[in-house]
């Protein structure tokens, strides 16, 4: 028997790589699922005020197969980055 989780937790940790820089601008974070912006939960990372976490659990079952997730963020100094994965 195979069991599929059709509403998985989609999670990203956004790291202010250099650790003493400006920190992540929480209001800039955008998560997309299959090119659609989702209503993700965004917060400062626990114990790390410069880093952030973004979490999303789909409200409806996802179709079986591959899906693309992307996360975009800026730091408080204005630098931006985006990461995509399937």
């Amino acid at each position: 028997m195979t069991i599929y989780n059709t509403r998985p937790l989609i999670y990203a940790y956004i790291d202010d790589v250099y650790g003493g820089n400006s920190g992540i601008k929480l209001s800039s974070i955008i998560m997309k699922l299959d090119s659609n912006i989702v209503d993700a939960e965004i917060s400062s990372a626990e114990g790390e005020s410069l880093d952030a976490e973004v979490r999303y659990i789909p409200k409806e079952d996802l179709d079986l197969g591959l899906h693309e997730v992307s996360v975009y963020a800026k730091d408080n100094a204005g630098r931006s980055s985006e990461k995509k994965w399937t």
Side-chain angles (χ1 to χ4, degrees):
M1 173 163 61
T2 303
I3 298 174
Y4 296 95
N5 182 358
T6 57
R7 294 185 190 189
L9 169 63
I10 302 169
Y11 170 85
Y13 186 94
I14 304 168
D15 187 12
D16 183 347
V17 179
Y18 300 106
N21 287 336
S22 65
I24 304 301
K25 185 174 183 178
L26 298 181
S27 64
S28 74
I29 298 172
I30 299 170
M31 178 180 267
K32 293 182 181 180
L33 174 61
D34 296 331
S35 299
N36 297 307
I37 295 174
V38 297
D39 186 23
E41 178 185 323
I42 299 167
S43 62
S44 292
E46 194 171 318
E48 291 292 332
S49 62
L50 297 178
D51 299 341
E53 296 176 324
V54 58
R55 301 168 183 269
Y56 177 71
I57 297 176
K59 292 172 179 51
E60 298 179 9
D61 293 345
L62 297 177
D63 293 335
L64 296 179
L66 295 177
H67 295 273
E68 182 179 83
V69 176
S70 68
V71 174
Y72 169 87
K74 280 186 187 179
D75 66 12
N76 289 312
R79 293 178 292 269
S80 65
S81 184
E82 183 175 20
K83 175 72 176 175
K84 293 182 182 184
W85 69 94
T86 54

